[in-house]
Amino acid sequence: MKGIVKNLALYAILFLGGIFMILPFYWMLATSLKSSGEAIMIPPTWLPQNWLFSNYEKALEVAPFARYFLNSVFVTLATTSGELVTSILAAFAFAKLKFWGKDILFIILLGTMMVPGELMTIPNFVTLSGWGMINTYWALIIPWLASVFSVFTLKQSFQSVPDQLYYAAKTDGASDWRFLWEMLVPLSRSSIIAVMILKVIGSWNSFMWPLIVTNDKALRTLPVGLQAFTTEAGTQFELLMAASTLVVVPMVVIYLLLQKYIMQGIASSGLKG
């Protein structure tokens, strides 16, 4: 009896937690189908009085979202592929290779995770400005080609592969490069996919950095493009929510399709605690 009560309490907490997690997404979806007056009505309505699917068509006419979409796809693909390559190479070096000062260097690398990302905004901006890259695609991509968290996650995963396999491959004449891409990477597929998914979501939703380094509308990404619905006359909440839904849906679909790899990757990297 005590176990049943405990399980019921646990399920009740999980159910409430799930409701709180999904509530913002539901509110965004419901508001995207309301009229402008109903969107700001107090008290608010939980269901639209009139289901205005035309809001999505109007939202796409306010700004060049097709261009913003292509920019987001390009920047996301570039930063994700770049970060994966640099993280895999660095993680392999720290996990399998032997060189002087490896442990100290890795500790210093981990220490940089304690520096708030906001503190790096000005140095990165000044550096890219000196290189003449502000308001270019390079400014959107270069600062995000490396991640200490990804290096740490992949290092933990690579270390779970027995060293005997590495030494056996070396004995058979395989180079480090061949062992990495033909054996270690396939064996660590779950962790690599998990890192990739987290990077894709982070890059797709990035707002502040693209806003700072671009002032040309042709370079804007989708999250920055949402500003088009905020003017001096006020905010068009129903259109803003419609556009936000279109921005969020691709990431929700990717997450639902590949979420098992995130769980497997976290478990295999040892981050489960």
Side-chain angles (χ1 to χ4, degrees):
M1 186 63 184
K2 185 177 179 181
I4 295 176
V5 173
K6 184 178 179 181
N7 287 335
L8 287 175
L10 179 61
Y11 285 127
I13 293 173
L14 292 175
F15 177 77
L16 290 175
I19 293 296
F20 279 113
M21 291 292 291
I22 203 172
L23 187 59
F25 183 76
Y26 168 76
W27 192 257
M28 176 181 68
L29 192 61
T31 304
S32 70
L33 299 173
K34 296 178 180 177
S35 64
S36 57
E38 187 183 1
I40 57 175
M41 183 183 294
I42 298 177
T45 56
W46 287 97
L47 287 174
Q49 296 173 350
N50 296 307
W51 297 66
L52 300 177
F53 291 97
S54 58
N55 284 342
Y56 286 87
E57 184 178 352
K58 294 178 181 177
L60 294 175
E61 294 173 351
V62 172
F65 279 99
R67 177 74 184 192
Y68 297 162
F69 178 80
L70 292 176
N71 287 339
S72 287
V73 171
F74 174 69
V75 172
T76 299
L77 289 177
T79 55
T80 302
S81 57
E83 182 183 301
L84 281 179
V85 171
T86 58
S87 299
I88 287 174
L89 294 176
F92 172 67
F94 284 118
K96 297 300 180 184
L97 300 185
K98 293 182 179 179
F99 55 90
W100 184 86
K102 182 174 75 172
D103 293 337
I104 296 176
L105 184 60
F106 188 66
I107 291 173
I108 294 174
L109 194 66
L110 289 183
T112 61
M113 293 178 67
M114 300 180 186
V115 179
E118 289 76 9
L119 290 182
M120 301 303 297
T121 300
I122 294 178
N124 285 338
F125 184 88
V126 172
T127 301
L128 291 172
S129 179
W131 292 348
M133 293 182 176
I134 296 300
N135 204 35
T136 67
Y137 285 113
W138 293 112
L140 296 170
I141 296 172
I142 287 180
W144 312 111
L145 293 180
S147 167
V148 178
F149 174 77
S150 297
V151 173
F152 173 74
T153 303
L154 295 182
K155 174 181 176 290
Q156 298 298 102
S157 179
F158 289 172
Q159 282 182 329
S160 66
V161 177
D163 290 338
Q164 290 81 357
L165 190 62
Y166 172 63
Y167 295 132
K170 296 289 289 183
T171 303
D172 289 341
S175 63
D176 289 334
W177 184 261
R178 184 179 177 187
F179 170 76
L180 171 63
W181 296 107
E182 294 187 5
M183 299 187 70
L184 197 56
V185 168
L187 289 173
S188 306
R189 183 180 61 180
S190 296
S191 297
I192 293 173
I193 292 178
V195 168
M196 181 191 72
I197 295 172
L198 294 176
K199 179 61 181 179
V200 166
I201 295 174
S203 183
W204 184 268
N205 294 329
S206 179
F207 172 76
M208 188 57 69
W209 183 252
L211 177 65
I212 292 174
V213 299
T214 61
N215 50 41
D216 187 347
K217 288 185 177 180
L219 296 173
R220 293 284 171 85
T221 55
L222 279 172
V224 180
L226 295 179
Q227 291 185 111
F229 301 101
T230 301
T231 63
E232 294 179 355
T235 301
Q236 298 170 290
F237 287 103
E238 74 285 1
L239 300 185
L240 176 61
M241 292 298 105
S244 298
T245 301
L246 296 176
V247 172
V248 169
V249 164
M251 293 301 101
V252 173
V253 173
I254 290 176
Y255 177 78
L256 292 178
L257 292 177
L258 302 176
Q259 60 175 322
K260 68 176 183 179
Y261 291 107
I262 296 179
M263 299 299 107
Q264 292 175 1
I266 292 175
S268 62
S269 65
L271 295 179
K272 59 184 178 180

